[in-house]
Amino acid sequence: MRDMGYCTLSFFSKVCKSQAFFLNRLTPQVNICSDQHAKDPVDINSLLKKLKKDRLELMEVAVFPGKKERIPARLVVSLADETTYEKRLRKTSKQAKSTGNKVSDKFKVRARLNMIVTNVPPEILKGKDIRKVYSLRWQIELIFKNWKSLVTIDEFNTKKSIGLNASFMEN
């Protein structure tokens, strides 16, 4: 799990080649297809409609993120609560307005969904547990944020070793 801003499809590819796993939110601009050779992306609107119509907690779909190099993955989709949706829409609307653009209908549909992509097999991590595991990443982020503000941990130079005296080590 990595911060969304630092995840790219090339990162996912490297993880797969290392026979490791990734689990990340799917950013709106990432192209996802239903098979490795499909030309058209997965219809996100149909996923939203199915979740609502069948009152599903979540859905899992086999996908291949990417345009050129497609990476086999599972997409776990759930409905975002209304507050989250409105927050996403406000933020994007503000950005769009400042650049003279409008928020697309496609983005509005995606903003209604929580979409997490992973290559972890369902035998190891069930779809219903993926959101819980991903939320742990946010808790870790909050801990580091507190450390930075309370203990000024961000001022430590982690590239140099810090000598600790023996009395510190004993406590």
Side-chain angles (χ1 to χ4, degrees):
M1 291 185 288
R2 288 179 81 176
D3 185 346
M4 236 175 50
Y6 297 101
C7 275
T8 61
L9 291 172
S10 64
F11 168 75
F12 290 160
S13 181
K14 287 177 187 176
V15 170
C16 290
K17 287 176 184 166
S18 300
Q19 296 181 329
F21 301 121
F22 60 82
L23 187 142
N24 284 84
R25 276 185 51 207
L26 189 64
T27 57
Q29 61 272 20
V30 173
N31 187 53
I32 51 171
C33 292
S34 58
D35 71 55
Q36 226 165 356
H37 306 290
K39 291 186 177 164
D40 296 323
V42 169
D43 183 5
I44 302 298
N45 200 25
S46 68
L47 297 178
L48 174 62
K49 286 177 182 177
K50 184 161 180 59
L51 280 168
K52 286 182 172 183
K53 179 184 171 219
D54 297 341
R55 297 181 184 198
L56 299 173
E57 182 181 337
L58 62 89
M59 284 177 58
E60 288 189 54
V61 181
V63 295
F64 291 83
K67 286 186 179 177
K68 294 178 185 172
E69 182 180 4
R70 300 219 174 137
I71 302 152
R74 289 188 315 164
L75 177 65
V76 179
V77 185
S78 62
L79 286 172
D81 60 65
E82 198 61 31
T83 306
T84 301
Y85 169 69
E86 289 171 4
K87 181 179 174 183
R88 289 173 181 170
L89 203 53
R90 265 194 315 274
K91 181 180 176 185
T92 303
S93 296
K94 184 178 178 181
Q95 289 171 340
K97 187 176 182 180
S98 71
T99 58
N101 295 316
K102 291 184 179 180
V103 178
S104 70
D105 290 338
K106 183 180 177 182
F107 178 85
K108 289 176 184 177
V109 170
R110 281 186 96 139
R112 288 210 174 269
L113 299 171
N114 296 314
M115 300 190 336
I116 299 177
V117 66
T118 186
N119 66 338
V120 179
E123 307 82 56
I124 295 175
L125 187 60
K126 293 178 176 40
K128 65 182 177 88
D129 296 327
I130 284 178
R131 187 113 170 108
K132 293 174 194 169
V133 171
Y134 186 77
S135 71
L136 292 174
R137 189 198 69 77
W138 180 243
Q139 296 306 313
I140 293 166
E141 290 282 332
L142 292 177
I143 289 169
F144 276 104
K145 184 178 178 179
N146 284 331
W147 285 353
K148 285 179 181 178
S149 63
L150 298 173
V151 192
T152 60
I153 196 170
D154 57 328
E155 293 178 16
F156 287 106
N157 185 346
T158 57
K159 293 181 182 174
K160 294 181 182 176
S161 63
I162 300 171
L164 301 174
N165 64 33
S167 63
F168 178 82
M169 296 295 280
E170 292 172 3
N171 295 333

